[in-house]
Amino acid sequence: IVKVEVRFEGEVREKGNGWKEFLGVGREERLVPEEGKIHDGCSVAEAEDRQEEAKKFKRHHTDRYMRVGESWRRPKGIDSCVRRKFKGKVLMPNIGYGSNKRTRHLMPNGFYKFVVNNVEELELLLMHNRKYAAEIAHNVSARKRKDIISRAAELDVKVTNSKARLRVEETQ
């Protein structure tokens, strides 16, 4: 069932794949996806599974010269075949390579990352514990990590790196 908070007068037709078509009086035809679905009727997690790995753009002539690193730099030369986009040459990055807006920054476990430095910052995730997962910052001490992890368990907040720096050495 599709829940839509739009008042309309007219008929509703099934379009398949989770979509419905609303024909309202004096209004244009609109498509509304099911709740929790993306444009093609799949959930965010399913779309993330389909997401391709980001293309790595290597700098031009990185294979020819050791002094030229791999990290991308835009070619600036007046005769550069890459800058002029000749056929068969290295591709330059542009906005069309961007990832899906719904799955951008989404981790494979379905959560978005939120870096936490102390217990007070963890309290921000109280109402968002199904969408965001806490990640303890790298410079937090082992003692503070214990406090953060115990409070996260109380708030039912997932911590991605909860095992870090908590190993206890056995004494003989």
Side-chain angles (χ1 to χ4, degrees):
I1 300 171
V2 177
K3 293 180 182 177
V4 180
E5 299 175 14
V6 178
R7 293 180 185 170
F8 66 94
E9 296 174 14
E11 65 175 285
V12 179
R13 278 191 273 162
E14 288 282 339
K15 289 293 256 192
N17 211 7
W19 289 82
K20 293 198 174 192
E21 180 180 14
F22 295 89
L23 297 172
V25 175
R27 294 185 187 207
E28 60 197 54
E29 180 180 297
R30 293 182 298 152
L31 295 175
V32 179
E34 263 184 63
E35 189 174 329
K37 302 282 185 178
I38 302 183
H39 57 71
D40 58 353
C42 66
S43 66
V44 175
E46 290 167 352
E48 213 241 351
D49 288 342
R50 282 195 229 158
Q51 186 174 348
E52 295 175 18
E53 198 169 315
K55 184 173 173 57
K56 292 288 284 182
F57 292 97
K58 290 184 178 179
R59 186 175 176 183
H60 185 48
H61 284 324
T62 189
D63 55 336
R64 181 180 281 193
Y65 303 111
M66 289 292 291
R67 63 181 179 262
V68 178
E70 277 197 4
S71 61
W72 174 255
R73 299 287 188 278
R74 191 178 196 287
K76 303 268 184 15
I78 56 170
D79 293 327
S80 173
C81 56
V82 175
R83 183 191 60 79
R84 292 160 68 186
K85 299 179 182 172
F86 285 3
K87 186 168 61 174
K89 297 299 177 186
V90 178
L91 294 175
M92 291 199 293
N94 56 47
I95 199 66
Y97 289 102
S99 60
N100 190 336
K101 208 171 188 178
R102 293 285 297 273
T103 60
R104 193 176 298 152
H105 308 298
L106 194 67
M107 296 190 294
N109 60 8
F111 287 95
Y112 290 97
K113 189 189 300 185
F114 184 80
V115 179
V116 172
N117 290 293
N118 52 41
V119 179
E120 289 76 37
E121 290 180 6
L122 187 69
E123 304 289 335
L124 296 171
L125 297 180
L126 175 64
M127 300 299 291
H128 307 286
N129 60 356
R130 294 288 132 242
K131 190 168 190 176
Y132 289 92
E135 181 169 299
I136 303 172
H138 77 283
N139 55 352
V140 178
S141 66
R143 189 180 66 175
K144 291 288 184 187
R145 280 174 190 266
K146 287 179 186 173
D147 299 341
I148 291 172
I149 291 167
S150 62
R151 183 63 180 143
E154 294 171 14
L155 296 175
D156 194 28
V157 173
K158 181 176 176 56
V159 180
T160 57
N161 57 348
S162 58
K163 301 274 191 279
R165 287 199 206 176
L166 290 182
R167 293 187 197 94
V168 179
E169 291 182 18
E170 293 182 22
T171 57
Q172 293 181 357

